[in-house]
Amino acid sequence: MKIGVLALQGTFIEHEKMLEKLGADCVELRKAENLEQDFDGLVLPGGESTVQGKLLRELGMYEILKEKIENGMPVLATCAGMILLAENLENDELKHFGTLPVCVKRNAYGRQLGSFHTEAEVKGIGIVPMTFIRAPYVESAEKNVEVLAVVEGKTVGVRYGNQLAFAFHPELDEDIRIHQKFLDIVKDSV
Ligand code: GLN
């Protein structure tokens, strides 16, 4: 199984380490040329969505990746990655892939709670550690979006078809079950 990891900026190395621990091969996606090879799933890491979105367009990667996602390629998106997928952003005029029918609020926890750690349930997985760093949350979602995790009344994990999106950073904790779940989805789709 080969996973393409968007490697323009952010926590891509942490995702790669985790996926490799689980036996997947990773390829770094840094430029349009890298998208010519075959890969079975896509990871959109945490970081800064505005920078990532800008680079995706400048490097000619945006359309190709959007089409792959629309055609059902499994995606694991964390934090900034969730913002890249969202169909609407509550506090930003710019939207990116727009393949996930949710409205996401960026930097949603305000300054004081910019970063925090907690543990909570992810549906189908159990209690997992959750590291939030200037995180977004899902403000509203279409009916056919499955809510996977809620923290303090805010939706922080969703699934829509093969797209998995989390507001926190599973790649920064030791728990491997979210990545395992993603690889299971990839396996089912190959
Ligand atoms: N605040 C960032 C953004 O708006 C996301 C933060 C993160 O990925 N940790 O893109």
Side-chain angles (χ1 to χ4, degrees):
M1 230 169 357
K2 214 188 248 187
I3 307 299
V5 181
L6 187 66
L8 301 177
Q9 187 269 342
T11 57
F12 57 92
I13 290 173
E14 289 81 358
H15 275 290
E16 288 166 22
K17 283 192 182 143
M18 215 155 231
L19 293 164
E20 280 162 4
K21 215 191 274 182
L22 291 167
D25 292 325
C26 294
V27 290
E28 290 190 348
L29 309 176
R30 294 177 175 277
K31 49 186 175 181
E33 217 175 279
N34 300 149
L35 302 177
E36 287 164 16
Q37 64 199 312
D38 282 334
F39 51 94
D40 311 304
L42 172 67
V43 168
L44 302 176
E48 184 52 50
S49 58
T50 310
V51 176
Q52 294 181 7
K54 186 167 180 278
L55 287 171
L56 277 169
R57 290 172 176 91
E58 282 176 8
L59 295 164
M61 301 171 79
Y62 172 81
E63 290 294 340
I64 305 169
L65 284 175
K66 183 172 159 73
E67 201 179 306
K68 284 184 190 292
I69 302 168
E70 282 168 349
N71 289 336
M73 175 172 277
V75 188
L76 173 61
T78 63
C79 204
M82 174 189 256
I83 296 167
L84 289 185
L85 290 182
E87 197 172 282
N88 287 298
L89 298 177
E90 204 248 12
N91 47 352
D92 201 327
E93 278 147 39
L94 199 64
K95 74 170 184 181
H96 304 284
F97 293 126
T99 52
L100 180 66
V102 296
C103 180
V104 162
K105 185 172 181 183
R106 289 184 65 197
N107 301 325
Y109 292 92
R111 268 198 204 162
Q112 277 183 328
L113 266 183
S115 299
F116 63 100
H117 185 85
T118 189
E119 290 190 352
E121 170 100 16
V122 173
K123 200 170 153 190
I125 293 181
I127 304 285
V128 302
M130 297 180 177
T131 298
F132 292 84
I133 303 170
R134 300 188 70 231
Y137 59 64
V138 175
E139 196 141 70
S140 60
E142 304 249 314
K143 276 202 295 291
N144 46 1
V145 174
E146 186 182 9
V147 173
L148 296 180
V150 176
V151 169
E152 287 167 14
K154 308 294 185 199
T155 297
V156 296
V158 293
R159 177 174 180 175
Y160 177 69
N162 283 340
Q163 299 176 59
L164 278 179
F166 297 97
F168 54 94
H169 291 274
E171 72 277 20
L172 297 182
D173 280 299
E174 296 296 309
D175 197 300
I176 42 107
R177 289 174 295 167
I178 286 180
H179 286 79
Q180 184 61 64
K181 167 97 186 162
F182 167 61
L183 291 179
D184 291 344
I185 294 172
V186 176
K187 212 181 293 165
D188 286 344
S189 81
V190 187

